[in-house]
Amino acid sequence: VTFGASGSHHVLATTLFGARRGFDTAAVLFAQPRTEHVANTLRASIAAGLDARPVESRAAIPLAMARLLSRGDYFIPAGGSNAVGAASYVYAVRELLEQIRQGEVAEPDVIVVPLGSGGTAGGLLAGVAREGLKSKVLAIKVVDSALVGTPLVLGVARAASRQVGSKLDLPRASRTLSVEASWLGDGYGLATRASEEASERAADVGLGLDATYTGKAFAAALALLGSDPRARVNPLKIENFVPTIRPMRVLYWHTLSRAPLEPLLDGAPREDQLPESLQKLLLPPRQTASRPSSG
């Protein structure tokens, strides 16, 4: 049992892998702006056997979850952001450390990552602390919720650290983390001009982005490097960042699955064949938000 937005990759993945292990999967779903990819992800989830439970707002999720969960069910939070899920990014930082040691990449000054449910940012923060890297973690908020912020990331980082047998130094971790909300725009799933332009830049090097998470994080990374003078992030505004004489080393951590959805759509219902309650979860797209004037 889990929950997420109507086009959640996490919900789709949970449904697919649950079925392979013989589990039924149910998810409470809330609405998000419609794109073709969002609609296809929802269709693929239904085709894979998801028991979808739509709610009218995110505020209704707790009650819906309480009604849905039964004895013996296994609960997975949004995005898979629990100790088990976030631990994967602790190990990912170990891979990064090996690349640094082998001379494949320099140790980054700043690691830029989107911040939604906190699993990626929290796991990376725990990994940076565990491996002793000097890198700062810059988490770019993509969710318009006051609950998504520094306390959430620190909590996930502490849980991930325990999962891998480490103890997180919270004061030090707090100095390593910086949460930035200025790239959110009008809200979750809504593109901004900055994210659209970042997507165009990324496409030039063969990197696909999405409007919900990666476009906003990549826009922040580009601005941090000063490649866009209209929306430059001042490095001094990153908490506890110590500037260097050399150019800043920025690592953008890509989090978007590019696995093709087409094979999962064989036999899937058309969008107009979905129950009306699910069609309502695909909100009409809104006008692109203006770019931030600064980071």
Side-chain angles (χ1 to χ4, degrees):
V1 177
T2 189
F3 68 96
S6 53
S8 169
H9 287 179
H10 159 67
V11 169
L12 174 57
T14 303
T15 305
L16 291 170
F17 288 105
R20 292 184 187 180
R21 293 295 183 177
F23 293 105
D24 294 326
T25 301
V28 172
L29 299 179
F30 58 89
Q32 74 176 102
R34 184 201 178 280
T35 66
E36 183 177 359
H37 184 78
V38 166
N40 286 343
T41 300
L42 176 59
R43 293 173 55 217
S45 295
I46 299 303
L50 175 68
D51 178 4
R53 307 293 182 95
V55 291
E56 294 183 355
S57 69
R58 277 178 266 182
I61 292 174
L63 179 58
M65 292 299 301
R67 290 174 174 172
L68 176 58
L69 281 165
S70 300
R71 184 181 298 275
D73 290 344
Y74 183 77
F75 171 66
I76 302 176
S81 296
N82 56 12
V84 177
S88 63
Y89 278 98
V90 179
Y91 299 129
V93 174
R94 183 179 297 174
E95 293 183 20
L96 171 62
L97 179 61
E98 288 303 313
Q99 292 173 339
I100 293 171
R101 288 173 173 171
Q102 294 172 13
E104 298 176 13
V105 63
E107 181 175 351
D109 298 311
V110 180
I111 300 174
V112 182
V113 65
L115 171 57
S117 56
T120 303
L124 289 177
L125 182 62
V128 166
R130 188 171 192 258
E131 303 300 341
L133 294 180
K134 297 179 181 178
S135 309
K136 302 296 182 184
V137 176
L138 177 59
I140 306 301
K141 281 191 65 169
V142 299
V143 177
D144 48 345
S145 170
L147 298 177
V148 176
T150 298
L152 171 68
V153 178
L154 290 175
V156 173
R158 181 165 59 179
S161 296
R162 290 175 178 171
Q163 180 70 23
V164 299
S166 299
K167 183 177 180 180
L168 185 69
D169 183 337
L170 278 177
R172 183 175 181 180
S174 298
R175 294 191 296 271
T176 301
L177 173 68
S178 184
V179 174
E180 178 59 63
S182 64
W183 297 90
L184 176 61
D186 286 340
Y188 179 81
L190 296 171
T192 65
R193 289 195 179 93
S195 70
E196 290 178 341
E197 292 175 10
S199 296
E200 294 174 1
R201 293 283 301 277
D204 290 340
V205 293
L207 183 64
L209 305 180
D210 73 296
T212 305
Y213 289 89
T214 54
K216 295 175 182 180
F218 195 68
L222 291 175
L224 189 63
L225 290 168
S227 60
D228 185 348
R230 295 173 294 173
R232 182 167 184 174
V233 174
N234 184 347
L236 298 179
K237 294 181 70 174
I238 300 178
E239 188 175 356
N240 301 302
F241 180 76
V242 179
T244 61
I245 297 176
R246 58 169 172 73
M248 184 187 299
R249 296 168 179 162
V250 177
L251 173 61
Y252 159 73
W253 201 290
H254 191 54
T255 59
L256 177 64
S257 169
R258 300 302 294 176
L261 281 176
E262 286 73 16
L264 302 177
L265 294 174
D266 289 340
R270 298 192 312 267
E271 186 176 339
D272 61 1
Q273 292 176 327
L274 293 171
E276 184 178 356
S277 60
L278 295 183
Q279 292 186 42
K280 289 181 178 179
L281 295 178
L282 303 172
L283 300 176
R286 289 157 59 183
Q287 186 175 3
T288 299
S290 61
R291 73 164 55 247
S293 59
S294 68

